[in-house]
C-alpha cells in the first residue's frame, strides 16, 4: 500500500527532529571539551552540530517550498 502524503511528511519531520537531536548531542560534547580546554575537539563537535542544523534547515526550507507551492491565499 502506498504511503499517504501525510505519512511521508510526518516521517520527514521526524528525520529533521533526529538531525536536531544529533546537533544537541554534539553541542553537549563540545561544551564538555571546552570545559576541559580541549579546544580542537570542542570546535570539531561545534562544527558538526552546525552541519546537522544546516541539514535540518535545508529540510525545513524544502517543506516550506512544497507548502507554498500548494497554498492558496484567501482574501
Amino acid at each position: 500500500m502506498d504511503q499517504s502524503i501525510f505519512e511521508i511528511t510526518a516521517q520527514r519531520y521526524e528525520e529533521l527532529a533526529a538531525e536536531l537531536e544529533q546537533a544537541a548531542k554534539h553541542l553537549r560534547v563540545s561544551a564538555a571539551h571546552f570545559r576541559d580546554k580541549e579546544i580542537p575537539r570542542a570546535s570539531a563537535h561545534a562544527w558538526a552540530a552546525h552541519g546537522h542544523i544546516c541539514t535540518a534547515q535545508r529540510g525545513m526550507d524544502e517543506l516550506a517550498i512544497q507548502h507554498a507551492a500548494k497554498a492558496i491565499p484567501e482574501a
Side-chain angles (χ1 to χ4, degrees):
M1 184 164 135
D2 291 331
Q3 290 181 316
S4 74
I5 189 67
F6 302 109
E7 180 58 27
I8 292 168
T9 302
Q11 287 177 2
R12 186 67 182 126
Y13 279 119
E14 287 177 343
E15 291 168 2
L16 297 176
E19 282 292 333
L20 293 172
E21 288 165 353
Q22 285 298 107
K25 289 177 186 178
H26 278 291
L27 290 171
R28 288 186 187 97
V29 171
S30 180
H33 288 317
F34 270 113
R35 285 189 181 96
D36 294 337
K37 298 176 180 64
E38 297 179 20
I39 306 311
R41 293 180 78 188
S43 298
H45 283 281
W47 198 237
H50 182 67
H52 285 290
I53 292 167
C54 288
T55 298
Q57 182 64 60
R58 192 173 300 133
M60 290 294 293
D61 290 346
E62 291 168 1
L63 288 168
I65 290 166
Q66 289 172 8
H67 175 77
K70 295 177 183 171
I72 300 169
E74 294 186 27

